[in-house]
Amino acid sequence: MRDGMLILGASHAGVLLAATLRENGWEEPITIVGEEPSPPYQRPPLSKGLIAGEVEPEDLALRSFGFFRDAEISLELGSAAVAVDPAGREVTLSDGRRLRYGCLALATGATARPAPFEGADLDGVAVLRTLSDALMLRERIAAAGEVVIVGAGYIGLELSAGLAALGGRHVTVVDCGRRILARAASATLATFVAERHRHAGTRLILGARIARLNGAGGRVTDVELADGSRIAADLVVLAIGVRRNDHLARVAGLACDDGVLVNRAGRTSDPRIVALGDCAVRHSRFADGALVRLECVQNAQDGARAAAAGLTGKPVGMEPTPWFWSDQLGLRLQTAGLTSGVDRTVQRGSREQGRFSLWHFAGPRLRAVETVNAPAEHLVARKLLQAGCPISPAEAADTRIDLGARFLRREMALSAP
Amino acid sequence: MPTIIYEQPDGIRRRVDAPEGIDLMLAAKRNGVRGIEADCGGACACATCHVYVGDGFPLPEPEPEEQAMLAEVAAERLPQSRLACQITITSALDGLVLRIPARQF
């Protein structure tokens, strides 16, 4: 058999890479190795609709079995890669099998970060990363009365929003940061979202370090904070972020930083190996060329399209505007661009009406836009960022200006031959 | 099961037998229909499942949110433009033809 494309990782990045390679005319064999036994599934609903019972696992398929069969993409599910040998162009699986490759793609994602405190191994302590995590958590939630979520990032808050909607439980979110969403949202947006969570009945304890999780008879009973106070809990969910899975690449000697170093086309320091998705890090024009590692679906998808283009000799294209979204408590939150280096923010629309956007500037340049319940405005913002439009803070804040009509039409007129 | 017909810009058609109750985007994605990207997974957040719907089928009018998103689609917006994720499949849509635009982003 010919040595084709071997893809490690069967989630958004790996599956879209395989599909796009076939669309681009790649004729060599394609094999996807996935650690989880479940067929490839969509991850975003795990912390949203799945917990709320609005969607079921069978609704989450990324592609049907028929698709993989027809596209001749082999799935090796339930097997983990344990070693990569770039010189021998070979990957070793956990069951001892060795797979040869012509090209290798690392789409190994990230894993829930281990808790930096004692007690995380108690019964009643859960994480939310995989489908099986989510299904187990859903069962636990049905029987839980006192839920403590550790971590006020997007995953923790989507989960607490789902629990608030279910009702009937005390829900507490604890975070060591002084505000929620410290890593992923502006302070202004965080304040607005925190207010909504409190209004929904969720208790937010911020600026609090966790000393340990206490238990009795092997089951968790409470969360003890560094100041000695205790929060009763029969279910504790750890939503404290992830660790990138770049271990295989490091051991194999590929250049790594905060993840596997890649160029725009996903190429690593080995010309036969690409990396994409959560495990890859690259220079971004949306962060003044700084190294950026993103953990979102858009990044996985862009990485897949760029790598597929590079591998099949098609134009890779400019780096698209990074974006992500979250749904919680009836709020559609979307961020376009990256918020690093921001020194000025203006608001557009009305916070009271629950539909507004925050336009963040670094010096004179638009850097990022956060929208609340304004998906069309989000799309406009993405295009403005993509084109590097010279929009001023005053213009961004002026709701009398139709931004799409004024700036995008002008851009199109300028770029016309 | 209703049959939905997805037509590529080059005219090539793909017939998909789609269960009632799921949306036109999901039916396309599951079957690997090219050109329907749906980057957001169907949350009406990305406008990359743009299609041109065929005439003669009883489709619900787009909600204001979908209308606003359609103003920002990558390909030309036509009166037949819709987001596939916002239309639920019913038996009444059996035989519906969806034309896929040349680009989604």
Side-chain angles (χ1 to χ4, degrees), chain B residues 5-54:
Chain B
I5 298 149
Y6 295 87
E7 185 180 303
Q8 295 294 332
D10 60 9
I12 291 178
R13 289 185 165 197
R14 169 88 181 272
R15 301 169 68 87
V16 168
D17 293 328
E20 291 181 51
I22 72 168
D23 60 66
L24 292 170
M25 179 280 292
L26 198 56
K29 283 287 274 191
R30 283 201 188 154
N31 291 282
V33 173
R34 256 188 309 131
I36 293 190
E37 303 294 339
D39 282 358
C40 75
C44 196
C46 71
T48 61
C49 64
H50 177 205
V51 291
Y52 303 118
V53 294

Short mmCIF file of all heavy atoms in Angstrom, two decimals, chain B residues 5-54:
data_model
loop_
_atom_site.label_atom_id
_atom_site.label_comp_id
_atom_site.label_asym_id
_atom_site.label_seq_id
_atom_site.Cartn_x
_atom_site.Cartn_y
_atom_site.Cartn_z
N ILE B 5 -32.05 17.96 -2.96
CA ILE B 5 -31.06 17.95 -4.04
C ILE B 5 -30.14 19.16 -3.90
O ILE B 5 -30.60 20.30 -3.90
CB ILE B 5 -31.77 17.96 -5.42
CG1 ILE B 5 -32.63 16.68 -5.53
CG2 ILE B 5 -30.76 18.04 -6.55
CD1 ILE B 5 -33.86 16.85 -6.36
N TYR B 6 -28.86 18.87 -3.73
CA TYR B 6 -27.86 19.94 -3.60
C TYR B 6 -27.13 20.07 -4.92
O TYR B 6 -26.59 19.08 -5.44
CB TYR B 6 -26.87 19.59 -2.48
CG TYR B 6 -27.52 19.53 -1.10
CD1 TYR B 6 -28.10 18.35 -0.63
CD2 TYR B 6 -27.56 20.65 -0.28
CE1 TYR B 6 -28.69 18.30 0.62
CE2 TYR B 6 -28.14 20.61 0.98
CZ TYR B 6 -28.71 19.42 1.43
OH TYR B 6 -29.30 19.37 2.66
N GLU B 7 -27.12 21.28 -5.47
CA GLU B 7 -26.51 21.49 -6.78
C GLU B 7 -25.27 22.37 -6.66
O GLU B 7 -25.34 23.48 -6.16
CB GLU B 7 -27.54 22.15 -7.71
CG GLU B 7 -27.02 22.29 -9.13
CD GLU B 7 -28.05 22.96 -10.06
OE1 GLU B 7 -29.17 22.43 -10.18
OE2 GLU B 7 -27.71 24.01 -10.62
N GLN B 8 -24.15 21.85 -7.12
CA GLN B 8 -22.89 22.60 -7.08
C GLN B 8 -22.90 23.71 -8.14
O GLN B 8 -23.68 23.65 -9.09
CB GLN B 8 -21.70 21.65 -7.34
CG GLN B 8 -21.51 20.59 -6.27
CD GLN B 8 -21.11 21.19 -4.93
OE1 GLN B 8 -20.49 22.25 -4.87
NE2 GLN B 8 -21.49 20.52 -3.84
N PRO B 9 -22.02 24.71 -7.98
CA PRO B 9 -21.98 25.80 -8.97
C PRO B 9 -21.77 25.28 -10.40
O PRO B 9 -22.22 25.90 -11.37
CB PRO B 9 -20.78 26.64 -8.52
CG PRO B 9 -20.64 26.36 -7.07
CD PRO B 9 -21.09 24.94 -6.88
N ASP B 10 -21.09 24.11 -10.56
CA ASP B 10 -20.87 23.58 -11.91
C ASP B 10 -22.04 22.73 -12.40
O ASP B 10 -21.96 22.11 -13.45
CB ASP B 10 -19.57 22.76 -11.94
CG ASP B 10 -19.59 21.58 -10.98
OD1 ASP B 10 -20.68 21.30 -10.40
OD2 ASP B 10 -18.55 20.93 -10.80
N GLY B 11 -23.13 22.71 -11.63
CA GLY B 11 -24.33 22.03 -12.08
C GLY B 11 -24.44 20.59 -11.61
O GLY B 11 -25.49 19.95 -11.78
N ILE B 12 -23.38 20.04 -11.04
CA ILE B 12 -23.44 18.65 -10.57
C ILE B 12 -24.37 18.54 -9.37
O ILE B 12 -24.29 19.36 -8.45
CB ILE B 12 -22.02 18.13 -10.24
CG1 ILE B 12 -21.22 18.00 -11.52
CG2 ILE B 12 -22.09 16.79 -9.50
CD1 ILE B 12 -19.81 17.55 -11.34
N ARG B 13 -25.26 17.58 -9.42
CA ARG B 13 -26.28 17.45 -8.38
C ARG B 13 -26.01 16.26 -7.48
O ARG B 13 -25.49 15.23 -7.92
CB ARG B 13 -27.67 17.30 -9.01
CG ARG B 13 -28.15 18.59 -9.62
CD ARG B 13 -29.57 18.43 -10.13
NE ARG B 13 -30.14 19.76 -10.40
CZ ARG B 13 -31.43 20.00 -10.53
NH1 ARG B 13 -32.30 18.99 -10.42
NH2 ARG B 13 -31.87 21.21 -10.76
N ARG B 14 -26.41 16.40 -6.24
CA ARG B 14 -26.26 15.31 -5.27
C ARG B 14 -27.59 15.17 -4.55
O ARG B 14 -28.10 16.14 -3.98
CB ARG B 14 -25.14 15.69 -4.31
CG ARG B 14 -25.00 14.84 -3.10
CD ARG B 14 -24.09 13.64 -3.38
NE ARG B 14 -24.01 12.85 -2.17
CZ ARG B 14 -23.12 13.07 -1.20
NH1 ARG B 14 -22.20 14.01 -1.35
NH2 ARG B 14 -23.14 12.34 -0.12
N ARG B 15 -28.18 13.97 -4.60
CA ARG B 15 -29.45 13.72 -3.91
C ARG B 15 -29.16 13.15 -2.53
O ARG B 15 -28.41 12.19 -2.40
CB ARG B 15 -30.29 12.73 -4.72
CG ARG B 15 -30.61 13.21 -6.12
CD ARG B 15 -31.21 12.10 -6.95
NE ARG B 15 -32.53 11.73 -6.47
CZ ARG B 15 -33.65 12.33 -6.87
NH1 ARG B 15 -33.60 13.30 -7.76
NH2 ARG B 15 -34.81 11.96 -6.39
N VAL B 16 -29.77 13.74 -1.54
CA VAL B 16 -29.57 13.28 -0.16
C VAL B 16 -30.92 12.95 0.44
O VAL B 16 -31.83 13.78 0.44
CB VAL B 16 -28.86 14.38 0.67
CG1 VAL B 16 -28.91 14.05 2.15
CG2 VAL B 16 -27.42 14.57 0.20
N ASP B 17 -31.07 11.72 0.93
CA ASP B 17 -32.29 11.36 1.67
C ASP B 17 -32.10 11.84 3.10
O ASP B 17 -31.21 11.36 3.81
CB ASP B 17 -32.51 9.85 1.63
CG ASP B 17 -32.83 9.38 0.22
OD1 ASP B 17 -33.45 10.16 -0.53
OD2 ASP B 17 -32.43 8.25 -0.12
N ALA B 18 -32.92 12.80 3.50
CA ALA B 18 -32.69 13.46 4.77
C ALA B 18 -33.87 13.25 5.72
O ALA B 18 -35.02 13.40 5.31
CB ALA B 18 -32.49 14.95 4.53
N PRO B 19 -33.59 12.88 6.94
CA PRO B 19 -34.70 12.69 7.89
C PRO B 19 -35.40 14.01 8.19
O PRO B 19 -34.76 15.07 8.23
CB PRO B 19 -34.01 12.15 9.15
CG PRO B 19 -32.58 12.56 9.03
CD PRO B 19 -32.28 12.65 7.56
N GLU B 20 -36.72 13.94 8.39
CA GLU B 20 -37.44 15.14 8.80
C GLU B 20 -36.96 15.59 10.17
O GLU B 20 -36.55 14.76 10.98
CB GLU B 20 -38.95 14.85 8.87
CG GLU B 20 -39.56 14.61 7.51
CD GLU B 20 -41.07 14.35 7.60
OE1 GLU B 20 -41.75 15.17 8.23
OE2 GLU B 20 -41.52 13.33 7.06
N GLY B 21 -37.00 16.88 10.40
CA GLY B 21 -36.68 17.40 11.73
C GLY B 21 -35.29 17.97 11.85
O GLY B 21 -35.04 18.82 12.69
N ILE B 22 -34.34 17.49 11.02
CA ILE B 22 -33.02 18.13 11.04
C ILE B 22 -33.04 19.27 10.01
O ILE B 22 -33.98 19.40 9.24
CB ILE B 22 -31.85 17.14 10.78
CG1 ILE B 22 -31.79 16.69 9.33
CG2 ILE B 22 -31.94 15.94 11.72
CD1 ILE B 22 -30.51 15.94 8.98
N ASP B 23 -32.02 20.09 10.00
CA ASP B 23 -32.05 21.23 9.08
C ASP B 23 -31.24 20.92 7.81
O ASP B 23 -30.50 19.94 7.73
CB ASP B 23 -31.58 22.51 9.77
CG ASP B 23 -30.16 22.41 10.31
OD1 ASP B 23 -29.25 22.30 9.48
OD2 ASP B 23 -29.97 22.44 11.54
N LEU B 24 -31.42 21.79 6.84
CA LEU B 24 -30.82 21.57 5.51
C LEU B 24 -29.30 21.61 5.56
O LEU B 24 -28.63 20.98 4.76
CB LEU B 24 -31.33 22.62 4.53
CG LEU B 24 -32.81 22.52 4.15
CD1 LEU B 24 -33.23 23.76 3.37
CD2 LEU B 24 -33.07 21.26 3.32
N MET B 25 -28.73 22.36 6.51
CA MET B 25 -27.28 22.41 6.67
C MET B 25 -26.76 21.07 7.18
O MET B 25 -25.81 20.50 6.64
CB MET B 25 -26.91 23.54 7.64
CG MET B 25 -25.44 23.70 7.93
SD MET B 25 -24.81 22.54 9.17
CE MET B 25 -25.63 23.13 10.64
N LEU B 26 -27.41 20.58 8.24
CA LEU B 26 -26.93 19.35 8.87
C LEU B 26 -27.01 18.18 7.89
O LEU B 26 -26.10 17.35 7.82
CB LEU B 26 -27.78 19.07 10.13
CG LEU B 26 -27.19 18.12 11.14
CD1 LEU B 26 -25.82 18.56 11.59
CD2 LEU B 26 -28.13 18.00 12.35
N ALA B 27 -28.10 18.12 7.13
CA ALA B 27 -28.24 17.04 6.15
C ALA B 27 -27.09 17.09 5.15
O ALA B 27 -26.55 16.05 4.75
CB ALA B 27 -29.58 17.17 5.43
N ALA B 28 -26.68 18.30 4.77
CA ALA B 28 -25.58 18.44 3.82
C ALA B 28 -24.25 18.06 4.46
O ALA B 28 -23.45 17.32 3.88
CB ALA B 28 -25.52 19.89 3.31
N LYS B 29 -24.02 18.55 5.67
CA LYS B 29 -22.76 18.30 6.36
C LYS B 29 -22.55 16.80 6.60
O LYS B 29 -21.48 16.26 6.35
CB LYS B 29 -22.75 19.00 7.72
CG LYS B 29 -22.51 20.47 7.66
CD LYS B 29 -21.07 20.79 7.33
CE LYS B 29 -20.19 20.83 8.56
NZ LYS B 29 -18.88 21.40 8.24
N ARG B 30 -23.59 16.16 7.12
CA ARG B 30 -23.46 14.74 7.44
C ARG B 30 -23.09 13.93 6.22
O ARG B 30 -22.42 12.91 6.31
CB ARG B 30 -24.77 14.21 8.01
CG ARG B 30 -24.94 14.64 9.44
CD ARG B 30 -25.91 13.73 10.13
NE ARG B 30 -26.20 14.27 11.45
CZ ARG B 30 -27.32 14.04 12.10
NH1 ARG B 30 -28.26 13.30 11.56
NH2 ARG B 30 -27.49 14.53 13.29
N ASN B 31 -23.57 14.38 5.07
CA ASN B 31 -23.32 13.63 3.85
C ASN B 31 -22.15 14.18 3.05
O ASN B 31 -21.91 13.75 1.93
CB ASN B 31 -24.59 13.58 3.01
CG ASN B 31 -25.64 12.72 3.68
OD1 ASN B 31 -25.57 11.50 3.62
ND2 ASN B 31 -26.57 13.34 4.37
N GLY B 32 -21.46 15.14 3.65
CA GLY B 32 -20.25 15.65 3.01
C GLY B 32 -20.52 16.39 1.72
O GLY B 32 -19.71 16.33 0.79
N VAL B 33 -21.66 17.10 1.63
CA VAL B 33 -21.93 17.90 0.44
C VAL B 33 -20.94 19.06 0.43
O VAL B 33 -20.83 19.80 1.40
CB VAL B 33 -23.38 18.45 0.47
CG1 VAL B 33 -23.59 19.42 -0.69
CG2 VAL B 33 -24.37 17.29 0.38
N ARG B 34 -20.21 19.19 -0.66
CA ARG B 34 -19.21 20.24 -0.77
C ARG B 34 -19.84 21.62 -0.77
O ARG B 34 -20.94 21.80 -1.27
CB ARG B 34 -18.43 20.07 -2.08
CG ARG B 34 -17.05 19.50 -1.89
CD ARG B 34 -16.28 19.55 -3.19
NE ARG B 34 -17.02 18.98 -4.31
CZ ARG B 34 -17.16 19.59 -5.48
NH1 ARG B 34 -16.65 20.77 -5.68
NH2 ARG B 34 -17.82 18.99 -6.46
N GLY B 35 -19.15 22.60 -0.21
CA GLY B 35 -19.56 23.98 -0.36
C GLY B 35 -20.51 24.50 0.70
O GLY B 35 -20.86 25.66 0.71
N ILE B 36 -20.97 23.61 1.58
CA ILE B 36 -21.74 24.07 2.73
C ILE B 36 -20.83 23.90 3.94
O ILE B 36 -20.59 22.78 4.39
CB ILE B 36 -23.07 23.30 2.86
CG1 ILE B 36 -23.95 23.67 1.67
CG2 ILE B 36 -23.75 23.62 4.20
CD1 ILE B 36 -25.37 23.19 1.74
N GLU B 37 -20.27 25.02 4.40
CA GLU B 37 -19.20 24.93 5.39
C GLU B 37 -19.76 24.87 6.80
O GLU B 37 -19.35 24.05 7.60
CB GLU B 37 -18.25 26.12 5.23
CG GLU B 37 -17.64 26.25 3.84
CD GLU B 37 -16.72 25.09 3.48
OE1 GLU B 37 -16.23 24.42 4.39
OE2 GLU B 37 -16.51 24.86 2.28
N ALA B 38 -20.68 25.78 7.13
CA ALA B 38 -21.30 25.80 8.46
C ALA B 38 -20.26 25.76 9.57
O ALA B 38 -20.27 24.91 10.43
CB ALA B 38 -22.28 24.63 8.60
N ASP B 39 -19.38 26.75 9.52
CA ASP B 39 -18.29 26.80 10.50
C ASP B 39 -18.77 26.80 11.93
O ASP B 39 -18.08 26.35 12.83
CB ASP B 39 -17.43 28.06 10.26
CG ASP B 39 -16.49 27.87 9.08
OD1 ASP B 39 -16.48 26.77 8.50
OD2 ASP B 39 -15.76 28.82 8.76
N CYS B 40 -19.95 27.35 12.20
CA CYS B 40 -20.41 27.48 13.58
C CYS B 40 -21.23 26.28 14.03
O CYS B 40 -21.67 26.22 15.18
CB CYS B 40 -21.20 28.76 13.78
SG CYS B 40 -22.87 28.72 13.10
N GLY B 41 -21.45 25.31 13.13
CA GLY B 41 -22.18 24.11 13.53
C GLY B 41 -23.69 24.32 13.60
O GLY B 41 -24.40 23.49 14.16
N GLY B 42 -24.18 25.43 13.06
CA GLY B 42 -25.64 25.61 12.99
C GLY B 42 -26.20 26.56 14.01
O GLY B 42 -27.38 26.52 14.32
N ALA B 43 -25.37 27.43 14.55
CA ALA B 43 -25.84 28.36 15.58
C ALA B 43 -26.30 29.69 15.00
O ALA B 43 -26.56 30.62 15.73
CB ALA B 43 -24.73 28.60 16.61
N CYS B 44 -26.40 29.78 13.67
CA CYS B 44 -26.71 31.05 12.98
C CYS B 44 -25.71 32.11 13.41
O CYS B 44 -26.07 33.21 13.83
CB CYS B 44 -28.15 31.52 13.25
SG CYS B 44 -28.72 32.79 12.08
N ALA B 45 -24.42 31.75 13.35
CA ALA B 45 -23.38 32.67 13.81
C ALA B 45 -22.34 32.97 12.76
O ALA B 45 -21.46 33.78 13.00
CB ALA B 45 -22.70 32.08 15.05
N CYS B 46 -22.40 32.33 11.58
CA CYS B 46 -21.26 32.48 10.68
C CYS B 46 -21.62 32.73 9.22
O CYS B 46 -20.77 33.18 8.47
CB CYS B 46 -20.37 31.25 10.77
SG CYS B 46 -21.08 29.78 10.03
N ALA B 47 -22.84 32.44 8.81
CA ALA B 47 -23.28 32.67 7.42
C ALA B 47 -22.44 31.93 6.39
O ALA B 47 -22.22 32.43 5.29
CB ALA B 47 -23.32 34.17 7.11
N THR B 48 -21.94 30.73 6.72
CA THR B 48 -21.19 29.95 5.73
C THR B 48 -21.97 28.70 5.28
O THR B 48 -21.39 27.72 4.84
CB THR B 48 -19.80 29.53 6.24
OG1 THR B 48 -19.95 28.72 7.40
CG2 THR B 48 -18.94 30.73 6.57
N CYS B 49 -23.30 28.75 5.43
CA CYS B 49 -24.15 27.67 4.87
C CYS B 49 -25.16 28.30 3.93
O CYS B 49 -26.29 27.82 3.79
CB CYS B 49 -24.82 26.86 5.98
SG CYS B 49 -25.97 27.81 6.98
N HIS B 50 -24.72 29.35 3.26
CA HIS B 50 -25.56 30.09 2.31
C HIS B 50 -25.96 29.19 1.14
O HIS B 50 -25.12 28.52 0.57
CB HIS B 50 -24.74 31.30 1.83
CG HIS B 50 -25.41 32.16 0.80
ND1 HIS B 50 -24.69 32.93 -0.08
CD2 HIS B 50 -26.71 32.38 0.52
CE1 HIS B 50 -25.52 33.59 -0.86
NE2 HIS B 50 -26.75 33.27 -0.52
N VAL B 51 -27.26 29.18 0.81
CA VAL B 51 -27.75 28.45 -0.37
C VAL B 51 -28.79 29.30 -1.10
O VAL B 51 -29.35 30.24 -0.53
CB VAL B 51 -28.42 27.10 0.02
CG1 VAL B 51 -27.39 26.11 0.55
CG2 VAL B 51 -29.54 27.30 1.03
N TYR B 52 -29.02 28.95 -2.38
CA TYR B 52 -30.12 29.56 -3.13
C TYR B 52 -31.22 28.51 -3.24
O TYR B 52 -30.99 27.42 -3.78
CB TYR B 52 -29.66 29.97 -4.52
CG TYR B 52 -28.47 30.92 -4.52
CD1 TYR B 52 -27.26 30.56 -5.12
CD2 TYR B 52 -28.56 32.19 -3.93
CE1 TYR B 52 -26.17 31.43 -5.12
CE2 TYR B 52 -27.47 33.06 -3.94
CZ TYR B 52 -26.29 32.68 -4.53
OH TYR B 52 -25.22 33.53 -4.53
N VAL B 53 -32.39 28.81 -2.68
CA VAL B 53 -33.45 27.79 -2.65
C VAL B 53 -34.28 27.83 -3.92
O VAL B 53 -34.53 28.90 -4.50
CB VAL B 53 -34.36 27.98 -1.41
CG1 VAL B 53 -33.58 27.73 -0.13
CG2 VAL B 53 -34.99 29.36 -1.38
N GLY B 54 -34.72 26.65 -4.33
CA GLY B 54 -35.55 26.55 -5.52
C GLY B 54 -36.96 27.04 -5.26
O GLY B 54 -37.40 27.12 -4.11
#
